[in-house]
Amino acid sequence: MKMLAAKTTRLIVVVTLAVALLCLGGAALWYLYATEDVNPYPMKDYNAATQQKAAEAVVAGLNTHNPDNVNLMRIDGQPESDANLKAITANITPMLPPPGCQYALDGVEDKGRQDPAVVSWYHPSQARGFDMKLQQLCPGQPPTPRTIRVIAIPSGMGGYWTEAALRDETH
């Protein structure tokens, strides 16, 4: 009889702890959801080193003269994915260096929050950006400065930013 009472007590304690943990987890998730407007940046830091690495990858892709080789966010499998892929290609193509030319990356400059409408094909809620300071190198011509802004949006995975669009900022 004592053993049955001990097992019953142990079961009650385990079930009570499990319910308490579920309630705490639910409260934590509710808090994160409820305070989303108070803290609109639950995203990971998009620091200079991250931007530099992203810029190097984008420039390497641009220098291939093939929009498909430029490392920007592409989501396949959605009904509108063909339209998205066309929009991404249309966004990249004017940023390619002229035939026979290449870009050399001089540096990056953080530009902070950006208008998410620039990446209209994904409808993001927020966007960040940085400028790639480039030298356009063409045979027989002096280097020409060019600035291309990279717009990053939430990737939807773990609070990371993903480069999604380019915009010419050369003045």
Side-chain angles (χ1 to χ4, degrees):
M1 192 76 152
K2 275 187 171 183
M3 193 179 260
L4 182 59
K7 285 184 179 181
T8 303
T9 304
R10 193 176 318 147
L11 179 63
I12 290 170
V13 169
V14 168
V15 169
T16 303
L17 286 174
V19 169
L21 286 174
L22 283 172
C23 289
L24 284 173
L29 289 174
W30 172 83
Y31 177 78
L32 289 174
Y33 175 77
T35 60
E36 185 176 46
D37 290 337
V38 176
N39 182 11
Y41 300 105
M43 300 294 295
K44 304 282 190 244
D45 190 25
Y46 197 53
N47 60 35
T50 302
Q51 293 175 4
Q52 179 72 29
K53 185 176 177 183
E56 290 167 1
V58 170
V59 169
L62 289 170
N63 282 338
T64 68
H65 300 277
N66 182 347
D68 294 336
N69 293 337
V70 178
N71 191 20
L72 294 183
M73 182 175 178
R74 290 173 172 83
I75 297 178
D76 294 324
Q78 297 179 351
E80 66 274 14
S81 67
D82 286 343
N84 287 350
L85 294 174
K86 287 178 184 174
I88 294 165
T89 299
N91 175 258
I92 295 169
T93 301
M95 304 303 150
L96 296 173
C101 300
Q102 298 285 305
Y103 291 139
L105 180 63
D106 283 342
V108 297
E109 182 181 335
D110 186 20
K111 292 300 184 178
R113 293 176 63 184
Q114 300 292 306
D115 181 3
V118 173
V119 192
S120 60
W121 48 93
Y122 288 129
H123 312 290
S125 60
Q126 54 186 319
R128 297 261 333 242
F130 66 88
D131 284 352
M132 297 188 303
K133 302 294 186 175
L134 307 168
Q135 290 295 322
Q136 182 174 294
L137 307 173
C138 299
Q141 297 177 17
T144 306
R146 185 159 185 197
T147 302
I148 297 176
R149 181 155 305 159
V150 177
I151 308 295
I153 62 173
S155 69
M157 301 198 47
Y160 290 97
W161 295 96
T162 300
E163 296 69 38
L166 304 175
R167 188 171 72 201
D168 193 354
E169 293 291 320
T170 304
H171 301 289

